[in-house]
Amino acid sequence: MDMTGSQRGTTAAQAWVLGLTSVSSLMVALDALVVTTALPVIRVHLHASLAGLEWTVNAYVLSLAVLLMTGAALGDRFGRRRLFAVGLGLFTAASAACALAPGIGWLIAARAVQGAGAAVMLPLGLAVLSAGFPPEQRPRALGIFGAVTGLGVVLGPLVGGAVVQGLTWPWIFWINIPVGLVAIALTHVRIGESFGPDSALDLPGLLLVTGGVFGVVWAPGGRSRSEVAHRRAWFTIRWEPQVTARLVGNLIAKVAV
């Protein structure tokens, strides 16, 4: 009896594509939220202000949201696998910089770079996944990808709290290093190259979208800063994960669509 593509099992090549793209998306989601439960410890170790603590989260989310379209466009133009690996490398290097941060300013800058790497990984991971599966198998693959990403959003604060309690706060970033290095090596070996439509980069359009997204994502952060001046630190640290989780969830949902 003949079986349709959706009924046939996933090939080994497709399994590698699904596994690598899902792991990368899990890393992106985890690092958006894993730092939130480490904020009190970071405040003590780095002598950070409340505004500085807030920016350790906001810098990542803003960079991720603003550069998503740019990351996708560059991947379509110069190769999705190539730019996906570049995003993994940037994310991994920035994670090491976060772990080695001697002060809050360094940590904020490294988090912004980490968000830039995530902005390349997330859309190109979806693009690589879509290219690796035929249309009849794609919904199942995207469902697994989305479930793994959602798991990262849910487990982020829990993982951060467990790592900080069992080790110390830099380890929430150190754990990305071996995963990222292995993922980069396997990406070059197990994922084929693909390109988007052969068209020139729409730089004015990218700038317009980037500015618009920046304004939309900046608005919640602006409101939170006005509240910080009138509320105690514990409220800010408890409130921030909820806002960040909503922002990250919306970003992932829009990319998936």
Side-chain angles (χ1 to χ4, degrees), residues 1 11 13 26 36 43 70 81 86 126 135 138 142 146 160 208 239 242:
M1 180 183 296
T11 66
L26 178 65
T36 56
R43 183 186 184 191
T70 301
R81 183 191 67 180
V86 168
L126 274 168
R138 204 169 293 156
L142 291 174
L208 182 62
W239 174 86
Q242 300 172 14

Side-chain angles (χ1 to χ4, degrees), residues 71-96:
L74 291 175
D76 286 345
R77 178 74 172 174
F78 299 107
R80 292 164 176 167
R81 183 191 67 180
R82 180 183 303 157
L83 267 293
F84 179 70
V86 168
L88 277 168
L90 188 61
F91 186 91
T92 303
S95 296

Side-chain angles (χ1 to χ4, degrees), residues 69 201-211:
M69 291 294 293
L201 286 175
D202 181 9
L203 293 179
L206 283 177
L207 290 175
L208 182 62
V209 170
T210 297

Side-chain angles (χ1 to χ4, degrees), residues 5-201:
S6 59
Q7 292 173 316
R8 289 194 295 266
T10 302
T11 66
Q14 289 173 331
W16 277 109
V17 169
L18 179 58
L20 289 169
T21 55
S22 296
V23 166
S24 70
S25 183
L26 178 65
M27 293 168 66
V28 170
L30 274 176
D31 273 72
L33 292 161
V34 72
V35 73
T36 56
T37 46
L39 291 180
V41 179
I42 292 174
R43 183 186 184 191
V44 173
H45 285 193
L46 299 184
H47 308 289
S49 64
L50 292 181
L53 289 178
E54 208 176 348
W55 272 106
T56 61
V57 178
N58 291 345
Y60 180 90
V61 176
L62 277 171
S63 184
L64 169 60
V66 167
L67 297 175
L68 272 174
M69 291 294 293
T70 301
L74 291 175
D76 286 345
R77 178 74 172 174
F78 299 107
R80 292 164 176 167
R81 183 191 67 180
R82 180 183 303 157
L83 267 293
F84 179 70
V86 168
L88 277 168
L90 188 61
F91 186 91
T92 303
S95 296
C98 289
L100 295 170
I104 193 65
W106 180 299
L107 180 59
I108 291 170
R111 286 283 286 171
V113 176
Q114 194 183 35
V120 178
M121 292 162 58
L122 187 58
L124 293 184
L126 274 168
V128 167
L129 184 66
S130 297
F133 285 83
E136 63 271 13
Q137 291 181 317
R138 204 169 293 156
R140 178 174 174 270
L142 291 174
I144 295 173
F145 178 93
V148 173
T149 306
L151 189 64
V153 174
V154 172
L155 293 181
L158 177 63
V159 172
V163 171
V164 169
Q165 185 173 7
L167 297 168
T168 185
W169 72 265
W171 280 98
I172 64 178
F173 301 110
W174 282 127
I175 58 178
N176 290 329
I177 309 304
V179 178
L181 292 176
V182 171
I184 292 169
L186 290 175
T187 293
H188 286 290
V189 175
R190 298 293 183 177
I191 295 180
E193 187 61 277
S194 62
F195 295 85
D198 187 13
S199 58
L201 286 175

